């Protein structure tokens, strides 16, 4: 617990040091949101395993805690440092092609929580992971007023409606900011658009999508948008993608059949935001909603993912059967049951250990010096570690 407290304190201290620079752009907006962003960082320190983030990385991320849409390359523990990217092009240039998984966290939406969750995933697969920051802005304040924290699964269309408030207030734009696609921008949030853009880009070859809490909803929305805009690409991804939702059962597009829904035995919060007609694939005993291994009742993300990939590994060749994932009758039970292959659940694709190692081969990030920027806002220029 000491390491968690140390990481949080260091992050908040470094964040305070960068406040004058961030106030040079949109001072009223940043002053209004700063206290809430600090609160959300503290929430993420409780709900995520932030002790896996080194002090150097915590200091590095402190100025960009709320940079919605920004992308991180998160290698496994003991490897290279986290790389923070503003755009898809920078992500591709600085090692994004090596990422074999895409992770999206929820709860507070801070970069610290997103990095901690992504590192748990990276430790499970032994390869770099891409992570998208959800951020916290004016749209989130309005969503909270309608109970967004407690009913995120049932208010999926509310937050994007208020994204225009952030744009009007002059927030920095990161990730996928295609202003020409105004129709998509009007109905999806920036983090969702960034996840969709990453999945649609043929330069990136993800084999695993992992989400926690509200992050499951972001992944679902991104996949639904991708199915509407590029059915061919969506079908290609559905053949090889394994999706693991943690802490909430959210409906995915029917063509994505290889979905594993994981929830804690004591996770009433996750159950409240889950779709009742989706059955639970793995119910973790004595686990609640948080993944912080320093606290009792945690859901061990790394151990759970290792177990899932060992028992139902990822195949890159065999196509998945077109089984509907989230179209069961609304009266179905949410209790964990042993489901035979013929019961409507997707057939697990066989794979050898050589294929698994090839899919999640250990690679290191290229030693590319960070770009120098002369701008202010949520994202700060990358600093060497």
């Amino acid at each position: 617990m000491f390491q968690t407290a140390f990481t949080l304190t260091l992050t908040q201290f470094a964040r305070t040091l960068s406040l004058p620079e961030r106030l040079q752009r949109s001072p009223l907006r940043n002053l209004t949101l700063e206290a809430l962003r600090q609160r959300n960082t503290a929430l993420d320190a409780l709900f995520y395993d932030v002790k896996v983030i080194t002090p150097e990385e915590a200091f590095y991320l402190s100025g960009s805690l709320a940079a919605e849409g920004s992308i991180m390359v998160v290698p496994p523990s003991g490897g290279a440092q986290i790389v923070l990217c503003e755009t898809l092009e920078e992500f591709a240039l600085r090692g994004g092609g090596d990422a074999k998984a895409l992770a999206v966290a929820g709860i507070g939406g801070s970069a610290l929580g997103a990095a901690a969750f992504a590192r748990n995933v990276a430790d499970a697969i032994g390869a770099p992971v891409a992570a998208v920051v959800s951020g916290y802005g004016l749209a989130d304040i309005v969503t909270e007023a309608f109970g967004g924290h407690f009913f995120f699964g049932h208010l999926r269309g509310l937050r994007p409606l208020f994204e225009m408030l952030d744009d009007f207030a002059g927030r920095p734009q990161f990730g996928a900011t295609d202003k020409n696609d105004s129709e998509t921008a009007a109905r999806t949030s920036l983090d969702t658009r960034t996840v969709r853009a990453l999945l649609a880009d043929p330069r990136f070859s993800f084999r695993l999508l992992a989400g926690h809490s509200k992050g499951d909803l972001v992944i679902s929305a991104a996949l639904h948008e991708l199915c509407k805009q590029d059915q061919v690409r969506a079908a290609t991804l559905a053949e090889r993608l394994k999706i693991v939702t943690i802490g909430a059962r959210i409906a995915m597009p029917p063509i994505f059949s290889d979905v594993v829904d994981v929830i804690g035995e004591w996770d009433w919060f996750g159950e409240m935001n889950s779709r009742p007609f989706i059955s639970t694939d793995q119910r973790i005993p004595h686990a609640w909603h948080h993944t912080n291994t320093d606290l009792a009742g945690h859901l061990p993300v790394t151990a759970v993912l290792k177990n899932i990939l060992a028992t139902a590994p990822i195949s890159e060749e065999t196509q998945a059967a077109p089984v509907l994932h989230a179209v069961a009758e609304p009266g179905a039970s949410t209790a964990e049951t042993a489901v035979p292959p013929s019961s409507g659940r997707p057939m697990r694709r066989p794979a050898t250990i050589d294929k698994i190692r090839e899919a999640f081969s250990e690679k290191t990030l290229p030693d590319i010096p960070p770009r120098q920027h002369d701008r202010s806002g949520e994202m700060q220029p990358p600093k060497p570690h």
Side-chain angles (χ1 to χ4, degrees):
M1 192 61 188
F2 170 79
Q3 187 62 40
T4 296
F6 174 77
T7 302
L8 173 62
T9 302
L10 176 62
T11 304
Q12 291 181 327
F13 173 72
R15 174 79 175 176
T16 303
L17 293 179
S18 65
L19 182 61
E21 183 178 357
R22 286 181 285 110
L23 289 180
Q24 294 178 13
R25 179 173 182 175
S26 303
L28 182 59
R29 177 177 181 272
N30 283 320
L31 280 176
T32 302
L33 295 173
E34 186 59 27
L36 295 172
R37 290 167 175 168
Q38 294 275 11
R39 176 208 63 179
N40 281 19
T41 304
L43 284 175
D44 280 350
L46 290 175
F47 277 83
Y48 293 108
D49 205 16
V50 298
K51 68 176 181 296
V52 299
I53 304 301
T54 66
E56 294 81 7
E57 290 171 331
F59 195 95
Y60 172 63
L61 296 174
S62 62
S64 306
L65 290 177
E68 181 183 354
S70 58
I71 314 167
M72 294 179 289
V73 182
V74 183
S77 298
Q81 298 288 334
I82 292 175
V83 176
L84 189 61
C85 308
E86 296 184 12
T87 64
L88 267 69
E89 294 301 324
E90 184 180 359
F91 174 72
L93 178 65
R94 307 187 69 188
D98 295 337
K100 298 303 179 184
L102 175 61
V104 186
I107 309 297
S110 73
L112 182 66
F117 179 68
R119 175 142 291 165
N120 284 160
V121 177
D123 289 340
I125 67 175
V129 171
V132 175
V133 180
S134 294
Y136 191 89
L138 297 175
D140 298 278
I141 292 183
V142 180
T143 307
E144 272 193 46
F146 286 88
H149 266 305
F150 280 93
F151 303 107
F152 62 81
H154 307 282
L155 298 174
R156 61 182 301 170
L158 187 60
R159 182 185 175 212
L161 294 177
F162 300 106
E163 288 275 312
M164 63 186 72
L165 296 175
D166 286 299
D167 293 330
F168 180 76
R171 70 171 175 183
Q173 297 292 307
F174 306 114
T177 56
D178 187 1
K179 297 182 179 179
N180 297 325
D181 192 1
S182 58
E183 181 180 355
T184 300
R187 63 173 182 263
T188 57
S189 54
L190 184 55
D191 50 0
T192 300
R193 298 202 303 269
T194 301
V195 172
R196 180 193 59 79
L198 286 169
L199 295 174
D201 199 319
R203 293 175 296 179
F204 312 126
S205 181
F206 302 113
R207 294 293 182 267
L208 173 68
L209 295 184
H212 176 261
S213 190
K214 189 178 67 176
D216 300 327
L217 182 64
V218 172
I219 291 175
S220 173
L223 290 177
H224 277 93
E225 285 295 325
L226 181 62
C227 289
K228 294 177 182 178
Q229 298 179 8
D230 192 344
Q231 295 182 359
V232 175
R233 175 64 177 175
T236 301
L237 290 176
E239 295 175 2
R240 64 170 184 257
L241 267 182
K242 177 182 286 294
I243 304 173
V244 179
T245 68
I246 299 176
R249 301 184 305 274
I250 304 296
M252 302 295 169
I255 63 172
F256 292 91
S257 60
D258 196 355
V259 182
V260 181
D261 297 299
V262 181
I263 200 166
E265 181 184 15
W266 300 336
D267 191 358
W268 57 266
F269 183 83
E271 288 286 357
M272 184 173 61
N273 289 284
S274 296
R275 298 296 185 260
F277 52 84
I278 302 177
S279 61
T280 301
D281 296 308
Q282 289 196 19
R283 193 174 296 276
I284 309 303
H286 314 301
W288 190 56
H289 198 66
H290 69 89
T291 66
N292 189 344
T293 56
D294 277 346
L295 302 178
H298 64 271
L299 195 154
V301 174
T302 300
V304 168
L305 285 178
K306 283 184 177 180
N307 179 67
I308 291 174
L309 296 177
T311 56
I314 300 171
S315 171
E316 298 186 32
E317 298 176 359
T318 308
Q319 294 186 2
V323 181
L324 301 184
H325 167 63
V327 293
E329 293 299 323
S333 171
T334 58
E336 180 184 11
T337 57
V339 183
S342 60
S343 64
R345 302 297 299 174
M347 295 291 292
R348 300 305 179 192
R349 303 188 292 268
T352 63
I353 190 65
D354 293 332
K355 292 181 181 179
I356 301 172
R357 289 173 178 170
E358 182 181 358
F360 294 128
S361 59
E362 294 186 4
K363 298 181 181 180
T364 57
L365 299 175
D367 188 14
I368 300 178
R371 301 189 307 170
Q372 298 297 325
H373 300 271
D374 185 15
R375 61 181 296 182
S376 57
E378 297 305 333
M379 178 78 81
Q380 298 301 310
K383 305 178 181 62
H385 298 290

